Amino acid sequence: AQTVTQSQPEMSVQEAETVTLSCTYDTSESDYYLFWYKQPPSRQMILVIRQEAYKQQNATENRFSVNFQKAAKSFSLKISDSQLGDAAMYFCAYRRGSAGNMLTFGGGTRLMVKP
Amino acid sequence: GAVVSQHPSWVICKSGTSVKIECRSLDFQATTMFWYRQFPKQSLMLMATSNEGSKATYEQGVEKDKFLINHASLTLSTLTVTSAHPEDSSFYICSARVASGGGNEQFFGPGTRLTVL
């Protein structure tokens, strides 16, 4: 079974600074996707970024980027120029190759942004 | 596009009653919908996978007779919590996968907070 581990229950960052959230996963599959979701106080899950395992290039979305280390099964999220609106729970998630397969979530990291 | 709604957003019920939660894909067809439960300060735990026109697949430890799932159309799945008890109080979230042409994304509803008194 696949497992996703987020070792940082809480992180804090100063506004405008950079923070990195860690995620490791365990799988025997070769075809899979990795995701970072943001859950603000509204509880609405928002997709932040996605990485296909077959792609060597790290995904980026504006201020958000990932460091995907396939051999190490590591998938960290870097948030640059942190903003107050980035404060939220962040969940790392794994999904096998077929889109119909379920998401497996990590335990989450609460990010606090200090003004 | 790709909006998923849930109704109600918040429900309070008495112990022993049943509660139905609706999950709708508003602007796309969803062959597969997923139901998650999230306890305070915890992650999302998959309860079941719902496929249109067929029986739902439940995760280990989830009682099929207690959490009834119906996916009657390509835009609607319902979760009924039967004979609810205080321990069923939680935040329930659905997600929907685009039927075709939408890539590999799942889109999440805003969630339903259930409080059982």
Side-chain angles (χ1 to χ4, degrees):
Chain A
Q2 293 81 20
T3 58
V4 179
T5 302
Q6 293 178 248
S7 59
Q8 307 153 317
E10 285 191 358
M11 291 284 285
S12 66
V13 62
Q14 204 71 33
E15 193 176 7
E17 297 294 310
T18 296
V19 65
T20 299
L21 308 184
S22 301
C23 173
T24 58
Y25 60 96
D26 186 24
T27 184
S28 58
E29 303 285 335
S30 59
D31 180 22
Y32 55 89
Y33 295 80
L34 296 166
F35 305 83
W36 278 98
Y37 283 90
K38 172 184 178 181
Q39 188 181 42
S42 69
R43 309 289 293 269
Q44 172 74 59
M45 296 289 283
I46 301 168
L47 177 64
V48 175
I49 201 164
R50 178 181 78 173
Q51 175 80 44
E52 293 89 340
Y54 64 85
K55 289 187 177 180
Q56 293 185 338
Q57 187 173 8
N58 290 324
T60 63
E61 286 288 341
N62 301 313
R63 297 183 296 108
F64 300 87
S65 62
V66 299
N67 184 2
F68 174 45
Q69 300 291 325
K70 191 171 184 178
K73 297 181 181 175
S74 170
F75 182 61
S76 61
L77 174 70
K78 186 172 82 171
I79 306 175
S80 303
D81 186 26
S82 297
Q83 301 175 359
L84 294 177
D86 294 334
M89 283 291 292
Y90 286 82
F91 293 98
C92 178
Y94 165 99
R95 194 189 75 217
R96 272 175 31 205
S98 170
N101 287 316
M102 67 181 198
L103 288 166
T104 301
F105 287 92
T109 297
R110 179 173 301 281
L111 178 65
M112 296 173 285
V113 181
K114 300 177 181 178
Chain B
V3 177
V4 177
S5 71
Q6 281 185 241
H7 178 80
S9 57
W10 194 1
V11 57
I12 301 174
C13 69
K14 293 182 179 180
S15 185
T17 61
S18 294
V19 174
K20 180 184 286 188
I21 301 170
E22 293 185 347
C23 177
R24 292 182 184 273
S25 55
L26 298 185
D27 51 3
F28 66 98
Q29 293 184 327
T31 52
T32 305
M33 290 184 173
F34 302 88
W35 287 95
Y36 296 86
R37 181 165 56 183
Q38 185 179 31
F39 290 108
K41 297 185 179 181
Q42 294 189 22
S43 187
L44 282 72
M45 298 299 296
L46 181 69
M47 299 175 66
T49 302
S50 167
N51 291 296
E52 187 266 338
S54 63
K55 291 183 178 181
T57 302
Y58 290 81
E59 294 300 303
Q60 192 172 10
V62 178
E63 298 176 58
K64 301 177 183 181
D65 295 333
K66 182 166 187 61
F67 299 99
L68 301 178
I69 292 172
N70 186 295
H71 193 159
S73 76
L74 286 172
T75 59
L76 174 64
S77 177
T78 60
L79 167 67
T80 301
V81 183
T82 62
S83 186
H85 288 96
E87 57 265 29
D88 298 324
S89 298
S90 188
F91 194 68
Y92 293 87
I93 304 174
C94 73
S95 71
R97 174 210 161 202
V98 178
S100 63
N104 296 316
E105 298 302 334
Q106 292 180 24
F107 299 93
F108 284 83
T112 296
R113 182 183 302 279
L114 171 63
T115 300
V116 185
L117 302 177

